[in-house]
């Protein structure tokens, strides 16, 4: 399989982590919209009435400093370092643009989705909070 075929198979929507979070949110009674094209950075999950969005990021693709996210491919490393750096910068600009528009953001990392009880607590706290504090990154 060629590299381009492998890269073409990488999904940007409806990934396994996204489906896991969406299933949990639905079971908790929350209703939401997906991938709002009219908002900066196209958030994965949107709660319009609450003006809150959730991003579910893969640790590698978005440069999380966890064990999996810090691992770099051995081939073409320079390309990947630049690519991940551009993704991090694009994400930062998107979060800032959303905050300028009055939206609150929650970033969930793929590595955080293993503990369902902690995830449920994080989601509930974020969606029920009234303050303007939001977690945009770790």
């Amino acid at each position: 399989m060629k590299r381009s075929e492998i890269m073409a198979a990488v999904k940007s929507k409806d990934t396994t982590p996204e489906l896991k979070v969406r299933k949990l949110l639905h079971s908790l009674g929350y209703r939401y919209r997906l991938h709002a094209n009219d908002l900066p950075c196209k958030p994965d999950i949107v709660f319009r009435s609450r003006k809150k969005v959730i991003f579910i990021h893969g640790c590698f693709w978005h440069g999380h400093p966890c064990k999996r996210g810090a691992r770099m491919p051995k081939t073409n490393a320079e390309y990947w370092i630049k690519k991940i750096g551009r993704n991090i910068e694009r994400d930062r600009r998107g979060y800032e643009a959303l905050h300028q528009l009055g939206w609150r953001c929650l970033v969930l990392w793929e590595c955080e989705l293993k503990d369902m009880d902690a995830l449920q607590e994080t989601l509930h706290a974020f969606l029920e909070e009234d303050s303007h504090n939001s977690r945009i990154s770790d």
Side-chain angles (χ1 to χ4, degrees):
M1 184 179 269
K2 291 182 179 178
R3 171 72 65 187
S4 61
E5 292 172 339
I6 294 169
M7 293 306 292
V10 176
K11 294 168 42 173
S12 63
K13 292 181 182 177
D14 301 329
T15 62
T16 301
E18 282 182 34
L19 295 176
K20 187 175 186 178
V21 173
R22 285 161 34 187
K23 184 176 179 181
L24 178 60
L25 284 167
H26 197 270
S27 73
L28 295 172
Y30 294 107
R31 300 299 179 256
Y32 46 81
R33 297 288 179 200
L34 302 174
H35 312 290
N37 291 329
D38 61 329
L39 294 176
C41 229
K42 287 194 248 177
D44 297 313
I45 299 174
V46 178
F47 300 87
R48 287 198 183 273
S49 63
R50 298 169 194 257
K51 284 198 96 167
K52 294 182 179 184
V53 298
I54 297 175
F55 292 94
I56 303 153
H57 289 334
C59 296
F60 172 74
W61 296 105
H62 295 270
H64 191 234
C66 71
K67 184 178 177 182
R68 183 175 183 161
R71 187 179 57 194
M72 276 292 139
K74 292 179 180 152
T75 59
N76 211 4
E78 187 177 327
Y79 167 81
W80 287 110
I81 290 169
K82 288 180 183 176
K83 168 76 176 146
I84 302 302
R86 286 192 309 266
N87 289 350
I88 292 169
E89 180 58 28
R90 183 196 63 219
D91 291 342
R92 188 192 59 73
R93 286 192 314 266
Y95 307 147
E96 288 177 5
L98 283 164
H99 280 275
Q100 294 287 326
L101 295 170
W103 288 78
R104 287 181 261 171
C105 306
L106 172 68
V107 175
L108 296 174
W109 294 96
E110 185 178 8
C111 64
E112 296 176 327
L113 305 182
K114 294 174 185 163
D115 184 345
M116 292 301 283
D117 291 334
L119 176 61
Q120 182 175 334
E121 193 172 308
T122 299
L123 291 170
H124 187 72
F126 173 69
L127 292 170
E128 300 304 325
E129 75 176 350
D130 284 332
S131 72
H132 291 287
N133 296 328
S134 63
R135 191 176 102 194
I136 59 171
S137 66
D138 285 324

